[in-house]
Amino acid sequence: MMRELGITTEDVMKTAENPAALTQLLTSVTSRTPRQRGLGRPDSISGMVDALEQAKARFKAEKNMPSTPFVAKPRTQLLTSFEFNRQEVLGQENGTYAFVKQTIVGTEIHVSKTRLEELERVSLRQMDVRKTHKGKYLLCRTITLPVRMFSVHVVVEDVKGDACLVELYNYPGTIGANPQLIEALFPVGSVLAIREPTLKSAAHGGDPLLRVDCPSNVIWLEPDDEKFITVQWRTGPHVPNSPTLPSTEDEWKKQGNSYYQKGWNIPAAVSYSRGLQRYPASSVLKLNRAMVYLQLKYYAAALADCESVWENKDLTDSLKPKALYRAAQALYGMGRWDEAERGFIDMAAEYPAEGVGCKAWIQKCIDRRSEANEGKYDWVAAYNAAQVEGSRMDLADFTGPVKVAALPSRGGGRGIVAKRDIMFGELLVVSKAFVFCAKDDFAKPETFSILNLITNCMDVGYGAINPTQAGERIAGNPQAANVLNQLYAGPTYEPPPSEYSVSPPEKVNVTRLLRFDENVDIRRIQGVLSFNSFTTQSLGPGDSMPKDTSQHSGASALFPLPSLFNHSCSPNAHWYCFKDVMVIRATCDIPAGDEVFLSYGGAGDSYLSRAKESCLARLLGSCNCPLCTRDRQAGEAVCKDREQIADKISSCTTALAVRSHTKKLDETFKGYPIPDRYAMFRANMKLANLYQTGSNLDETLRTLFKCLEDLGLKVTDASLRGALPPSNRESLPVTLAAIGGSRTGPLLGLLGVDACIAIRNTFRVGLQDTTRAAKWLRGAAWLHEKCYGGGRELFLKRYPDLSN
């Protein structure tokens, strides 16, 4: 694939130790997916299109080729070749380079929905390459140690002794996993039944392989399973180097505990589950599994285990508090805070020694209930928590004065509308991510490039991992699949329901983790993620310089309710994140019944970039938001002229030259509302910087006032000198414009606050006017509160240099 994109191995190696350079290299031939803010340049678009077309042609040619019988490779040769490749990958894992892992999204994927009991066994020699064997299953067992590349690779043998490579994608527990964890998850000698298997030819020649994209297509079998008990393996009953299974309840507990102590939660849960198959009455194994399920966020399954333990009349006194405590934690994780609070209160009353811990949990229940019911959050605490490396947020979802409404004219048939009149700065939605992947999910740096045939885009980032996370979540909570089924998955699937309704979580028994009570439709999941995922960056420390929001990279996440907001290049709301929690606020007054929009693309990008050079354009086609409509009415020639003038302004070195070009730029915006003229903001900010460099402070301030007006704000005190009347000293120097308000989305907070701070600094340092400086500091804090909440305390947390 690198060859198709015009990237050499040497190019990657040169940048491997520099993530920023690596991202720049890959984005030189890429463009990002929906709601991901980076946009490709024209030359990169042509390169990306070529790569996409080549990949499509390759898959089409493969599809049209006839199937051919499987021919087994000599076993020794296959095993030797695989071990050589495995050692090479392990050597890379132990090296200093961060290698790029590549994948393709949107290829044909078969999801087996037929129960194993209804399928007929097939051997490798009865299978054909380039064919999915519907109505069949392959009984096989692993005969090598596994290795993780993008997928997990392992060699299996069938009952007749023929061997083949298996590539297993999207499997729970494999994200960022080290080699030892992968070996614990796929021990040598594991017996698998692959439902309706697909044999494929290797992408670049070589031996055929079994490719499994849907983890639910793989069924793990035990020695006493009906499908296995009568089988006679041609190579013998045992695979060489296969580990000895635990033989007692205590040994299963010790194996699970060992995995848990290493942080290997999926293998630990599997060990406890396998022990429970043999010792189903074991309260210890159930409670230990409940403990692991809590770590995996399988809260409903953890509750089921705890309640099962309560039914044991012979439950020992040492296990009772564990059952109560873990059940209350499970209820908390399920969002059933009233019941969780009662559980912790009862726990503290019956076991006073646990009172301190229970008190903290009781307060958390009170806080989450207040968040969910009233939208009352401690934003300073949330900000502090989000600055911790590897942290995830503990906040409740909240839906404010908005609702999902059927909108037949929209692509997905739905949208978000205001239930009542909404004021500028109001909190609309707080949403916890359904899946969320960031760099801190990996012990060692990993970079992923994704060729997405669904969106016809190329991306670099963590979006490739989200399907695996979705499968992992469904594995331990089958009800979670309903959340994904409510979201748009692309034009090849039935439209989602016009109403959005997600049932509250209920107790669910997950007695055999990785046996999958719910089929995992990875192809549909890929569609949902392709059209709905966000690239996010957690709200961090502010600074005094305007930020360009179009080129940063961050985590990849799916937020269910925010996914239902439709796009506008001129939005009336904006979103930001505290790690895996998204917050949405209004950026202007919104009348009752009006639709609420977010911007999916790069805020402030030119029309030509938005309409022709982005993945967003290829997905949405023609955007009909007010800004794009005005741009089309102005004509492509005017838009090109506008871009050329803006480019000239960016390279100007004198205020005179900028003023001259800015006047011409202004002429291209005739008939546009002020907030839809972001290029004017950039021009005026350039001019303000030049004035400041030349110590022309009066013009610096006047131009910064214009910058605020360009964002849809109104400067109510534009005075530069002289005493301020006492009655005017405490008033705000800036407010939202009365007509239209701000439609600049995320730019309002990012750039508006910085402009206010720049004005404050000019008064304080340049003009020695502490009164006006204090007034503009209040203006900056007011705008920050409207955009991000948290009051003055959060404002000064993000801008600590302003506290003096």
Side-chain angles (χ1 to χ4, degrees), residues 498-510:
S498 58
E499 296 183 356
Y500 180 75
S501 176
V502 177
S503 302
E506 298 178 357
K507 180 181 67 176
V508 58
N509 284 302
V510 181

Side-chain angles (χ1 to χ4, degrees), residues 422-612:
I422 294 173
M423 302 296 291
F424 168 45
E426 271 201 72
L427 181 65
L428 304 182
V429 168
V430 178
S431 177
K432 185 84 169 177
F434 181 84
V435 291
F436 176 88
C437 187
K439 65 179 182 180
D440 54 29
D441 286 309
F442 302 88
K444 296 186 66 175
E446 295 190 26
T447 303
F448 303 92
S449 66
I450 310 110
L451 186 63
N452 193 321
L453 303 182
I454 299 173
T455 61
N456 288 326
C457 293
M458 182 84 183
D459 185 48
V460 56
Y462 298 105
I465 303 303
N466 290 150
T468 304
Q469 291 182 313
E472 184 170 308
R473 181 160 181 178
I474 293 170
N477 182 14
Q479 300 171 21
N482 183 48
V483 176
L484 298 177
N485 292 337
Q486 303 260 343
L487 300 179
Y488 179 70
T492 59
Y493 288 91
E494 288 291 323
S498 58
E499 296 183 356
Y500 180 75
S501 176
V502 177
S503 302
E506 298 178 357
K507 180 181 67 176
V508 58
N509 284 302
V510 181
T511 57
R512 296 185 67 177
L513 185 62
L514 303 184
R515 283 296 291 257
F516 291 96
D517 295 325
E518 179 80 20
N519 293 317
V520 180
D521 189 342
I522 284 293
R523 181 167 171 78
R524 191 181 191 285
I525 289 171
Q526 289 178 346
V528 167
L529 292 167
S530 294
F531 285 93
N532 296 281
S533 62
F534 290 78
T535 290
T536 72
Q537 188 175 49
S538 190
L539 190 70
D543 54 50
S544 58
M545 296 298 293
K547 306 168 187 68
D548 180 359
T549 65
S550 65
Q551 296 299 326
H552 73 65
S553 62
S556 180
L558 174 69
F559 299 93
L561 183 59
S563 297
L564 303 186
F565 283 79
N566 287 311
H567 165 76
S568 173
C569 302
S570 182
N572 50 9
H574 83 114
W575 60 270
Y576 58 96
C577 289
F578 295 103
K579 284 292 178 72
D580 57 333
V581 167
M582 177 176 285
V583 182
I584 300 176
R585 292 182 181 272
T587 54
C588 64
D589 295 342
I590 305 173
D594 275 15
E595 187 172 1
V596 185
F597 295 96
L598 296 176
S599 174
Y600 295 176
D605 289 322
S606 70
Y607 173 71
L608 296 179
S609 294
R610 300 192 318 269
K612 295 188 175 182

Side-chain angles (χ1 to χ4, degrees), residues 274-418:
R274 296 180 75 183
L276 281 164
Q277 287 178 253
R278 295 155 175 82
Y279 305 96
S282 173
S283 295
V284 172
L285 291 175
K286 286 180 183 177
L287 286 176
N288 283 14
R289 186 171 65 180
M291 174 180 61
V292 178
Y293 280 167
L294 289 172
Q295 295 297 317
L296 290 166
K297 297 181 172 57
Y298 297 164
Y299 300 117
L303 180 62
D305 276 348
C306 291
E307 290 187 352
S308 175
V309 168
W310 292 340
E311 296 172 0
N312 183 355
K313 297 179 181 180
D314 298 323
L315 188 64
T316 64
D317 290 340
S318 63
L319 294 181
K320 286 180 181 178
K322 291 182 180 180
L324 288 171
Y325 198 70
R326 290 170 191 173
Q329 288 177 305
L331 289 165
Y332 176 88
M334 296 168 71
R336 292 161 60 173
W337 296 298
D338 290 345
E339 296 171 76
E341 183 180 5
R342 287 195 297 270
F344 287 118
I345 290 173
D346 292 344
M347 176 78 181
E350 189 169 351
Y351 301 95
E354 303 293 336
V356 175
C358 289
K359 183 178 180 180
W361 278 101
I362 291 168
Q363 185 59 53
K364 290 170 70 172
C365 292
I366 294 170
D367 293 341
R368 300 296 86 76
R369 190 164 51 237
S370 177
E371 292 164 358
N373 296 337
E374 305 172 56
K376 293 182 178 180
Y377 291 82
D378 186 340
W379 295 120
V380 175
Y383 175 81
N384 289 336
Q387 307 314 304
V388 179
E389 186 75 17
S391 65
R392 297 293 182 265
M393 305 304 295
D394 184 10
L395 298 174
D397 284 0
F398 168 75
T399 303
V402 295
K403 64 179 181 179
V404 179
L407 300 172
S409 61
R410 299 297 179 198
R414 299 173 297 188
I416 303 294
V417 299

Side-chain angles (χ1 to χ4, degrees), residues 621-694:
S622 178
C623 177
N624 295 317
C625 77
L627 176 57
C628 285
T629 300
R630 292 188 188 95
D631 283 335
R632 280 194 294 272
Q633 291 171 346
E636 188 169 318
V638 172
C639 293
K640 282 185 177 179
D641 189 31
R642 183 184 300 154
E643 283 197 15
Q644 291 171 357
I645 296 171
D647 288 341
K648 290 178 181 178
I649 291 173
S650 65
S651 60
C652 286
T653 57
T654 67
L656 180 62
V658 172
R659 283 200 306 271
S660 174
H661 289 305
T662 300
K663 184 176 180 181
K664 297 176 183 177
L665 183 66
D666 186 48
E667 292 173 357
T668 71
F669 282 111
K670 287 182 179 179
Y672 283 67
I674 287 178
D676 283 347
R677 307 176 347 146
Y678 173 63
M680 291 299 296
F681 171 88
R682 295 182 64 183
N684 282 321
M685 184 56 73
K686 172 79 172 184
L687 186 58
N689 289 334
L690 289 172
Y691 280 139
Q692 189 172 45
T693 301

Side-chain angles (χ1 to χ4, degrees), residues 21-187:
L22 181 57
T23 298
Q24 183 177 5
L25 170 66
L26 289 172
T27 52
S28 69
V29 291
T30 66
S31 184
R32 296 187 183 174
T33 50
R35 308 170 197 256
Q36 298 182 336
R37 302 188 213 172
L39 297 169
R41 304 189 305 273
D43 58 340
S44 69
I45 296 298
S46 62
M48 183 191 68
V49 169
D50 288 344
L52 287 165
E53 292 306 316
Q54 290 176 25
K56 288 179 179 179
R58 187 171 70 244
F59 287 118
K60 183 178 181 180
E62 175 85 7
K63 185 176 180 179
N64 291 332
M65 292 177 66
S67 60
T68 57
F70 172 81
V71 178
K73 186 173 184 177
R75 185 186 180 96
T76 302
Q77 185 179 346
L78 177 63
L79 295 179
T80 301
S81 174
F82 176 80
E83 183 59 20
F84 175 85
N85 291 331
R86 193 180 77 87
Q87 290 299 331
E88 187 176 32
V89 171
L90 294 178
Q92 294 172 359
E93 291 276 348
N94 295 326
T96 58
Y97 292 113
F99 285 88
V100 180
K101 296 183 177 180
Q102 305 162 347
T103 190
I104 300 177
V105 170
T107 59
E108 283 195 14
I109 293 174
H110 178 69
V111 184
S112 180
K113 298 180 180 179
T114 307
R115 296 172 64 246
L116 182 60
E117 292 73 16
E118 300 171 11
L119 298 174
E120 180 184 353
R121 199 173 85 197
V122 67
S123 68
L124 284 168
R125 293 193 185 220
Q126 293 172 313
M127 295 172 63
D128 292 329
V129 181
R130 292 184 292 275
K131 179 179 177 180
T132 296
H133 299 77
K134 296 181 180 180
K136 311 290 184 180
Y137 78 93
L138 176 69
L139 183 64
C140 58
R141 58 184 182 181
T142 61
I143 58 174
T144 66
L145 290 171
V147 64
R148 181 178 70 92
M149 298 183 207
F150 183 85
S151 57
V152 173
H153 292 203
V154 66
V155 177
V156 300
E157 67 172 6
D158 66 6
V159 174
K160 296 183 178 181
D162 290 322
C164 184
L165 174 67
V166 172
E167 291 185 1
L168 189 55
Y169 289 78
N170 307 304
Y171 210 77
T174 60
I175 299 170
N178 61 35
Q180 294 74 33
L181 193 161
I182 294 295
E183 291 169 14
L185 195 56
F186 299 92

Side-chain angles (χ1 to χ4, degrees), residues 183-203:
E183 291 169 14
L185 195 56
F186 299 92
V188 174
S190 298
V191 181
L192 313 174
I194 303 177
R195 296 190 293 165
E196 301 187 317
T198 300
L199 261 177
K200 294 199 171 189
S201 56

Side-chain angles (χ1 to χ4, degrees), residues 638-764:
V638 172
C639 293
K640 282 185 177 179
D641 189 31
R642 183 184 300 154
E643 283 197 15
Q644 291 171 357
I645 296 171
D647 288 341
K648 290 178 181 178
I649 291 173
S650 65
S651 60
C652 286
T653 57
T654 67
L656 180 62
V658 172
R659 283 200 306 271
S660 174
H661 289 305
T662 300
K663 184 176 180 181
K664 297 176 183 177
L665 183 66
D666 186 48
E667 292 173 357
T668 71
F669 282 111
K670 287 182 179 179
Y672 283 67
I674 287 178
D676 283 347
R677 307 176 347 146
Y678 173 63
M680 291 299 296
F681 171 88
R682 295 182 64 183
N684 282 321
M685 184 56 73
K686 172 79 172 184
L687 186 58
N689 289 334
L690 289 172
Y691 280 139
Q692 189 172 45
T693 301
S695 299
N696 189 341
L697 300 184
D698 286 10
E699 289 303 319
T700 298
L701 290 167
R702 292 190 183 99
T703 310
L704 287 171
F705 295 160
K706 289 181 182 178
C707 288
L708 291 174
E709 292 169 354
D710 290 332
L711 294 175
L713 298 169
K714 180 181 179 181
V715 176
T716 56
D717 184 357
S719 65
L720 303 182
R721 287 183 171 79
L724 286 174
S727 60
N728 192 28
R729 292 179 183 178
E730 298 301 319
S731 62
L732 289 171
V734 64
T735 187
L736 192 68
I739 299 176
S742 178
R743 307 281 292 195
T744 53
L747 298 179
L748 181 61
L750 287 166
L751 305 181
V753 172
D754 285 343
C756 289
I757 292 173
I759 294 170
R760 175 261 187 189
N761 291 342
T762 303
F763 276 120
R764 187 172 186 269

